[in-house]
């Protein structure tokens, strides 16, 4: 009788243990998924900051921003943008108990992938160092700071330059960025992917030669000293180019850099 009773009891006990283990595993999986989601939402890229007429940048969620960049690859070997990064981690510092603030995030690198507007990759992705310290938010408001991120590196720009010159039209690409940082408490954290469109052309900007054109290469002579300056544009926008910044006439320069 005893042997017959112990079999079912042992079997039921083993089944219960397995069910409990499965429940714990499911619960822990849910916690891990939640932690990953929180990690990507705690740090985020909000927008690409605009530049003023003086090409300065003011950081803040209420400042101006751009929704697209336009780059002339004939005059740019690479392209960077100033991104506004937000930090939603809860403040942990408390001066009453001498507890330091560990929720500030030190930004240290960005991973960038560039793809054509249709979705195909342009080149392999790259990782670049960045800098910036983002304070934690207060209440329901995130803390913010800016960081400069290379969107198109030299290899990517070289390829786009060749395609734009050959096709004689804009090449539309999307730069997708993941920003990584580390809290002062030692926690690794990164943003979700943030994507930004960039148009690349070759020689589409207006280039201005001086009068006489010999002043392009040298402005030492008396006839070149009173030549008016050409008002340029900020990185991320297309605008007029001054031949004196190129050291030669516009035509000579374009022929030199043409792929």
């Amino acid at each position: 009788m005893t042997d017959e009773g112990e079999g079912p009891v042992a079997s039921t006990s083993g089944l219960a243990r397995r069910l409990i283990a499965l429940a714990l595993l499911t619960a822990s999986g849910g916690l891990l998924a939640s932690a990953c989601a929180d990690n990507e939402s705690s740090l985020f890229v909000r927008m690409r900051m605009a530049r003023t007429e003086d090409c300065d940048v003011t950081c803040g969620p209420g400042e101006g921003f751009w929704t697209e960049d336009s780059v002339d690859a004939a005059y740019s070997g690479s392209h960077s943008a100033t991104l506004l990064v937000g930090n939603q981690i809860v403040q942990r510092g408390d001066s009453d108990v001498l507890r330091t603030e560990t929720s500030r995030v030190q930004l240290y690198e960005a991973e960038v992938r560039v793809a054509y507007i249709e979705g195909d990759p342009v080149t392999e992705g790259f990782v670049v160092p960045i800098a910036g310290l983002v304070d934690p938010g207060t209440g329901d408001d995130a803390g913010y700071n800016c960081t400069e991120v290379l969107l198109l590196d030299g290899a990517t720009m070289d390829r786009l330059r060749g395609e734009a010159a050959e096709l004689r039209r804009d090449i539309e690409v999307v730069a997708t960025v993941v920003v990584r940082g580390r809290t002062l408490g030692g926690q690794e954290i990164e943003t979700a992917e943030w994507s930004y469109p960039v148009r690349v052309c070759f020689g589409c900007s207006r280039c201005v030669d001086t009068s006489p054109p010999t002043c392009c290469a040298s402005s030492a002579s008396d006839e070149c000293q009173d030549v008016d300056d050409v008002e340029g544009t900020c990185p991320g926008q297309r605008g007029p180019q001054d031949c004196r910044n190129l050291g030669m006439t516009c035509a000579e320069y374009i022929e030199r850099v043409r792929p």
Side-chain angles (χ1 to χ4, degrees), residues 198-222:
V198 182
R199 290 178 176 268
V200 179
C201 68
F202 178 79
C204 62
S205 299
R206 181 172 65 93
C207 188
V208 180
D209 283 334
T210 57
S211 180
T214 52
C215 296
C216 292
S218 175
S219 58
S221 62
D222 293 340

Short mmCIF file of all heavy atoms in Angstrom, two decimals, residues 198-222:
data_model
loop_
_atom_site.label_atom_id
_atom_site.label_comp_id
_atom_site.label_asym_id
_atom_site.label_seq_id
_atom_site.Cartn_x
_atom_site.Cartn_y
_atom_site.Cartn_z
N VAL A 198 19.51 62.41 -45.52
CA VAL A 198 20.55 63.32 -46.04
C VAL A 198 20.54 63.21 -47.57
O VAL A 198 20.51 62.11 -48.12
CB VAL A 198 21.95 62.94 -45.52
CG1 VAL A 198 22.98 63.94 -46.05
CG2 VAL A 198 21.97 62.92 -44.00
N ARG A 199 20.57 64.35 -48.24
CA ARG A 199 20.68 64.40 -49.71
C ARG A 199 22.12 64.75 -50.07
O ARG A 199 22.67 65.72 -49.56
CB ARG A 199 19.73 65.44 -50.30
CG ARG A 199 18.26 65.07 -50.21
CD ARG A 199 17.40 66.18 -50.77
NE ARG A 199 16.00 65.81 -50.79
CZ ARG A 199 15.38 65.24 -51.81
NH1 ARG A 199 16.06 65.00 -52.93
NH2 ARG A 199 14.11 64.91 -51.74
N VAL A 200 22.70 63.99 -50.99
CA VAL A 200 24.09 64.21 -51.40
C VAL A 200 24.12 64.46 -52.91
O VAL A 200 23.53 63.71 -53.69
CB VAL A 200 24.97 63.00 -51.05
CG1 VAL A 200 26.40 63.24 -51.50
CG2 VAL A 200 24.93 62.73 -49.54
N CYS A 201 24.80 65.53 -53.31
CA CYS A 201 24.95 65.83 -54.73
C CYS A 201 26.44 66.02 -55.03
O CYS A 201 27.27 65.94 -54.13
CB CYS A 201 24.18 67.10 -55.10
SG CYS A 201 24.87 68.60 -54.34
N PHE A 202 26.76 66.29 -56.28
CA PHE A 202 28.14 66.61 -56.65
C PHE A 202 28.14 67.88 -57.50
O PHE A 202 27.56 67.92 -58.59
CB PHE A 202 28.80 65.48 -57.44
CG PHE A 202 30.21 65.81 -57.87
CD1 PHE A 202 31.27 65.70 -56.99
CD2 PHE A 202 30.47 66.28 -59.16
CE1 PHE A 202 32.56 66.05 -57.37
CE2 PHE A 202 31.75 66.62 -59.55
CZ PHE A 202 32.80 66.50 -58.65
N GLY A 203 28.76 68.93 -56.98
CA GLY A 203 28.90 70.17 -57.74
C GLY A 203 27.60 70.91 -57.96
O GLY A 203 27.51 71.72 -58.90
N CYS A 204 26.61 70.70 -57.11
CA CYS A 204 25.32 71.37 -57.30
C CYS A 204 25.28 72.74 -56.63
O CYS A 204 24.37 73.53 -56.88
CB CYS A 204 24.18 70.50 -56.79
SG CYS A 204 24.26 70.15 -55.02
N SER A 205 26.23 73.03 -55.76
CA SER A 205 26.27 74.35 -55.10
C SER A 205 26.85 75.39 -56.05
O SER A 205 27.72 75.08 -56.88
CB SER A 205 27.13 74.28 -53.84
OG SER A 205 26.60 73.37 -52.91
N ARG A 206 26.41 76.61 -55.91
CA ARG A 206 26.93 77.70 -56.73
C ARG A 206 28.32 78.05 -56.25
O ARG A 206 28.54 78.31 -55.07
CB ARG A 206 26.00 78.90 -56.64
CG ARG A 206 26.44 80.10 -57.47
CD ARG A 206 25.35 81.17 -57.47
NE ARG A 206 25.16 81.73 -56.14
CZ ARG A 206 25.76 82.82 -55.68
NH1 ARG A 206 26.63 83.46 -56.46
NH2 ARG A 206 25.51 83.27 -54.47
N CYS A 207 29.27 78.05 -57.13
CA CYS A 207 30.64 78.43 -56.81
C CYS A 207 30.94 79.76 -57.48
O CYS A 207 30.62 79.96 -58.67
CB CYS A 207 31.61 77.35 -57.28
SG CYS A 207 33.31 77.62 -56.73
N VAL A 208 31.53 80.68 -56.75
CA VAL A 208 31.72 82.05 -57.23
C VAL A 208 33.21 82.32 -57.45
O VAL A 208 34.01 82.19 -56.51
CB VAL A 208 31.15 83.07 -56.23
CG1 VAL A 208 31.35 84.49 -56.76
CG2 VAL A 208 29.68 82.79 -55.97
N ASP A 209 33.55 82.69 -58.68
CA ASP A 209 34.92 83.12 -58.98
C ASP A 209 35.05 84.62 -58.73
O ASP A 209 34.10 85.39 -58.91
CB ASP A 209 35.26 82.84 -60.44
CG ASP A 209 35.58 81.38 -60.70
OD1 ASP A 209 36.01 80.70 -59.74
OD2 ASP A 209 35.38 80.91 -61.84
N THR A 210 36.23 85.02 -58.33
CA THR A 210 36.50 86.45 -58.13
C THR A 210 36.69 87.13 -59.49
O THR A 210 36.84 86.47 -60.52
CB THR A 210 37.77 86.64 -57.29
OG1 THR A 210 38.87 85.99 -57.95
CG2 THR A 210 37.59 86.08 -55.90
N SER A 211 36.68 88.40 -59.46
CA SER A 211 36.98 89.18 -60.67
C SER A 211 38.14 90.13 -60.35
O SER A 211 37.98 91.04 -59.53
CB SER A 211 35.75 89.97 -61.11
OG SER A 211 36.02 90.72 -62.27
N PRO A 212 39.30 89.89 -60.95
CA PRO A 212 39.62 88.88 -61.95
C PRO A 212 39.78 87.47 -61.34
O PRO A 212 40.05 87.35 -60.15
CB PRO A 212 40.95 89.37 -62.52
CG PRO A 212 41.57 90.09 -61.38
CD PRO A 212 40.46 90.76 -60.65
N PRO A 213 39.62 86.42 -62.14
CA PRO A 213 39.72 85.04 -61.64
C PRO A 213 41.07 84.69 -61.04
O PRO A 213 41.17 83.75 -60.24
CB PRO A 213 39.44 84.20 -62.89
CG PRO A 213 38.68 85.11 -63.81
CD PRO A 213 39.23 86.47 -63.56
N THR A 214 42.10 85.46 -61.38
CA THR A 214 43.43 85.17 -60.82
C THR A 214 43.45 85.35 -59.31
O THR A 214 44.32 84.81 -58.62
CB THR A 214 44.49 86.08 -61.46
OG1 THR A 214 44.06 87.45 -61.36
CG2 THR A 214 44.69 85.72 -62.93
N CYS A 215 42.50 86.11 -58.77
CA CYS A 215 42.45 86.31 -57.32
C CYS A 215 41.99 85.04 -56.59
O CYS A 215 42.13 84.97 -55.36
CB CYS A 215 41.51 87.46 -56.99
SG CYS A 215 42.03 89.07 -57.63
N CYS A 216 41.45 84.08 -57.32
CA CYS A 216 41.03 82.83 -56.67
C CYS A 216 42.23 82.13 -56.06
O CYS A 216 42.16 81.59 -54.95
CB CYS A 216 40.37 81.89 -57.69
SG CYS A 216 38.77 82.46 -58.29
N ALA A 217 43.34 82.13 -56.79
CA ALA A 217 44.52 81.41 -56.33
C ALA A 217 45.37 82.25 -55.38
O ALA A 217 46.02 81.72 -54.48
CB ALA A 217 45.37 80.97 -57.52
N SER A 218 45.31 83.55 -55.54
CA SER A 218 46.13 84.42 -54.69
C SER A 218 45.47 85.79 -54.58
O SER A 218 45.08 86.38 -55.60
CB SER A 218 47.55 84.56 -55.27
OG SER A 218 48.29 85.49 -54.53
N SER A 219 45.35 86.27 -53.36
CA SER A 219 44.74 87.59 -53.15
C SER A 219 45.77 88.61 -52.68
O SER A 219 45.43 89.61 -52.04
CB SER A 219 43.61 87.48 -52.11
OG SER A 219 44.14 86.96 -50.90
N ALA A 220 47.03 88.35 -53.00
CA ALA A 220 48.11 89.22 -52.52
C ALA A 220 48.22 90.52 -53.31
O ALA A 220 48.69 91.53 -52.80
CB ALA A 220 49.44 88.48 -52.59
N SER A 221 47.78 90.53 -54.56
CA SER A 221 47.94 91.73 -55.39
C SER A 221 46.94 92.81 -54.97
O SER A 221 45.91 92.53 -54.35
CB SER A 221 47.73 91.37 -56.87
OG SER A 221 46.41 90.89 -57.07
N ASP A 222 47.22 94.02 -55.36
CA ASP A 222 46.36 95.15 -54.99
C ASP A 222 44.97 95.02 -55.56
O ASP A 222 43.99 95.40 -54.91
CB ASP A 222 46.99 96.46 -55.47
CG ASP A 222 48.28 96.79 -54.73
OD1 ASP A 222 48.48 96.25 -53.62
OD2 ASP A 222 49.09 97.58 -55.27
#
